Structures are given as structure tokens and as C-alpha cells.
Amino acid sequence: MKIKINGQVETLEQKVKLTEFLECKGLELDRLVIEYNKRVVGREEWEDIILKDQDSLEVLRFVGGG
Amino acid sequence: MEDKLIIGGVELESRLFTGTGKFPSKEVIRETLEASNSQVVTMALRRVDFDNPEENVINYIPDNFTLLPNTSGARTAEEVVRIARIAKAAGCGNWIKIEAISDNKYLMPDNQETIKATEILAKEGFVVLPYVSPDLMVAKRLEEVGAAAVMPLGAPIGSNRGLKTKELIRILIDEINLPIIVDAGIGKPSHAAEAMEMGADAVLVNTAIATASDPVKMAQAFDYAVQAGRIAYLAGLGAVKDYASASSPLTGFLKGE
């Protein structure tokens, strides 16, 4: 199945939980901002999200800026 | 002396806002922010680079700071609104510094898109601080549509060139009933003091502090400069004259009649 992550298409072998997917990417989950299918989802919703074909995901974080 | 700036219901004793970009390392950010005595700090929102997942800058911001995420990267009102909503959903509070920029050379803000975005976000309950080119009519529109402050640029972002737009900023200070926070271009403490002396309510400084040889010490210098400029403004500056005006009496010399 294919999902779009930060503008890039990625192929996944099977459905996977959002939190597991993020951990596999080596990300610390604290303070990440997730937009799932164009909707910002709060931390409490992450556990219930299972990525499926054609999903779109934006994974964002705060960086230095003025 | 009680001299507080109130924005969005938050009382601020410090009139120095600090940015977090361009620092040589994240570790120095915390120490610099503490030395700055600042209470408001800006940051930006970006996609995670999976090949190089950096740590979140918020981890380096002391808890007592008011977070002011910016919308850098946005070119239109629509993009500004999207970033603002994401930042709020991320638990950053409801303050937002609007940047709507499509000019890559001078990074000049698009005032019209900024007005549109300010109106939408103010209605949604955001405390909106728009970054603009200093223009009286634009600032009046921002006031009408619910901005919490106006942030005119002194010179292009990161240029360290000082208050090149001074006369235009002065008009905003005179005519707009919102805090005026000079943002961009302030390259040294004397620039910050100059802005404060003329009656600006605050300044936002990033590049000049972050790229100093010693950012911590420079943050302290800016803190003092902003305080000095504010006190001078409150004290009331003396008049500027074309000719000499003796400070000492000109009569009663020892010599003469």
C-alpha cells in the first residue's frame, strides 16, 4: 500500500499503527505535530490511527525561527 | 517603576522578544533566552526530515516563556491560516506571528495577504501579531480586523542594517492604538535602543543575538539596551536644535566688567 508522507510517496508492506510507524522512523514522539489526511490530530488520537492505503500524513516539528 | 506591556491579556515586563533561529547549537538557546530576560520567544514549524530528525527546539525553551510561533514559509493568507491552526493544535497556545512572504530576495511581507489572514485568525481567537512593511493604512486595517500588535520591519530580515524605515515606524507609533513591535533589521543593541527611545513598545531580535560571537552576552546587551531606550522614552528626550544652546550660564564670568 502507498501512503504520502511529507509530500513523498512511501510504500508500506502492511497496515501499521501511526505510533509504531513514527517510532520506526527514529522519532521521539514528544512535541511532534501530526496532520493526518489534512486534519491535525491530537496526541490522544494517535494510538487509534492505523495507516491505510492512500493516507496522507504530515509530520512536523518546531524548529528555530525568528 | 511599573511599566508593563499587555498583549493578549499577558502582562510583559520585558520588551525584548527573542527568536530561536540561526543559533550555533540548540544548547546555547536556553542560556541565551535566560540571559535575554525576555518573556516571548519565536519559533517556526517545519516538516520532519526523516533522514536527519533533529530535536524539537521547544525542548530548549524555558517553561516560563510565552511561545510565539511564526508562519514562516507561508506565501498566502490560506497558508498562514493553516500553519497557525497546526501550531495551536500542537499545544503552542494561541499567539501567532504572521509572516506571509513570497519575495525570496528581500523577504518583504505581503501586507494584503497579512491583513486577510489576521482577520480570519483574530475571529478564531488567536492573538495575532502580524509582521508587515510599515504602512499607516495597512496598520489601520490590521487594527480594525483585530490584530493584537503590529510588527513593522526596520530593515530586511537578517540584514542587521538597523532602522531604515524609521520615519514610517514613527508614524505607526503616533497613529496606531496597538503595541508597535519593531521586528527585523535590528542588528545591534543601539538599534534596539533607538527604536525604544522613539516610543516603540518592544523589539524582536534574532539574527543579531544568534550570530554574535557570544550570543549569551549579546542577549544581555540587548536586554540593557531595550531597558535603557524605554526609560529614555518615558523620561522624555530633550529637543533637537540646529544651533548650540549653552548648558552652562553665559553670564557672570570671572573676567570682564
Side-chain angles (χ1 to χ4, degrees):
Chain A
M1 65 179 210
K2 291 186 190 312
I3 60 171
K4 200 171 194 181
I5 301 162
N6 287 1
Q8 303 287 321
V9 175
E10 188 160 327
T11 304
L12 299 180
E13 304 243 326
Q14 57 190 29
K15 288 185 180 178
V16 61
K17 284 177 79 171
L18 170 66
T19 48
E20 288 171 4
F21 174 78
L22 296 173
E23 281 164 359
C24 283
K25 291 283 183 188
L27 300 174
E28 288 181 33
L29 302 190
D30 277 1
R31 301 282 195 176
L32 279 185
V33 186
I34 303 292
E35 202 184 46
Y36 176 62
N37 293 337
K38 304 280 181 193
R39 187 175 73 86
V40 179
V41 286
R43 185 75 179 82
E44 67 285 353
E45 295 180 67
W46 294 5
E47 286 293 334
D48 299 329
I49 294 174
I50 295 169
L51 299 177
K52 59 184 189 306
D53 194 38
Q54 302 302 316
D55 274 353
S56 136
L57 197 61
E58 290 284 344
V59 184
L60 311 159
R61 67 183 162 79
F62 288 99
V63 299
Chain B
M1 180 179 58
E2 193 89 344
D3 179 37
K4 285 179 179 165
L5 170 63
I6 299 176
I7 297 177
V10 176
E11 284 190 2
L12 300 166
E13 287 171 20
S14 170
R15 292 167 180 273
L16 173 61
F17 293 15
T18 314
T20 52
K22 300 182 185 171
F23 277 86
S25 73
K26 285 204 181 65
E27 286 71 24
V28 80
I29 292 177
R30 184 189 298 274
E31 204 184 340
T32 301
L33 289 175
E34 282 167 352
S36 74
N37 202 28
S38 177
Q39 293 168 284
V40 179
V41 62
T42 58
M43 77 288 299
L45 194 62
R46 285 290 178 277
R47 280 174 165 167
V48 169
D49 176 359
F50 294 114
D51 297 326
N52 182 26
E54 280 179 57
E55 207 175 341
N56 200 310
V57 75
I58 290 186
N59 295 340
Y60 294 88
I61 298 173
D63 291 339
N64 55 339
F65 274 73
T66 295
L67 302 177
L68 176 59
N70 68 35
T71 66
S72 71
R75 291 157 298 178
T76 63
E78 190 182 7
E79 289 173 357
V80 165
V81 169
R82 184 179 173 203
I83 294 173
R85 288 173 181 161
I86 291 171
K88 190 176 181 183
C92 259
N94 64 344
W95 285 41
I96 192 78
K97 175 186 158 186
I98 292 187
E99 289 186 26
I101 296 174
S102 53
D103 157 48
N104 287 332
K105 185 173 181 185
Y106 292 101
L107 300 178
M108 296 300 273
D110 184 326
N111 283 349
Q112 299 311 314
E113 292 298 305
T114 302
I115 292 168
K116 277 190 235 168
T118 299
E119 183 163 17
I120 294 166
L121 293 173
K123 279 183 185 159
E124 291 184 15
F126 281 88
V127 174
V128 185
L129 288 79
Y131 169 64
V132 289
S133 295
D135 178 283
L136 177 59
M137 293 308 136
V138 168
K140 282 191 171 180
R141 281 293 293 145
L142 290 170
E143 196 173 4
E144 286 165 13
V145 301
V150 178
M151 304 184 80
L153 61 92
I157 291 172
S159 67
N160 285 345
R161 296 181 67 215
L163 302 181
K164 297 299 173 192
T165 60
K166 186 171 182 176
E167 296 310 317
L168 298 171
I169 292 175
R170 193 191 304 280
I171 294 171
L172 301 193
I173 291 169
D174 286 348
E175 300 294 326
I176 299 299
N177 295 313
L178 290 174
I180 302 296
I181 304 165
V182 178
D183 180 12
I186 291 176
K188 47 189 177 183
S190 54
H191 295 152
E194 186 182 4
M196 298 308 296
E197 283 167 5
M198 67 192 271
D201 294 278
V203 297
L204 194 156
V205 182
N206 188 162
T207 301
I209 292 174
T211 63
S213 301
D214 185 339
V216 174
K217 201 167 270 186
M218 188 59 83
Q220 199 176 31
F222 269 100
D223 176 29
Y224 292 153
V226 168
Q227 289 191 51
R230 179 66 184 175
I231 293 169
Y233 170 72
L234 294 174
L237 297 169
V240 176
K241 295 175 182 170
D242 287 337
Y243 300 103
S245 168
S247 306
S248 308
L250 290 177
T251 56
F253 294 121
L254 291 174
K255 64 176 183 178
E257 301 300 314

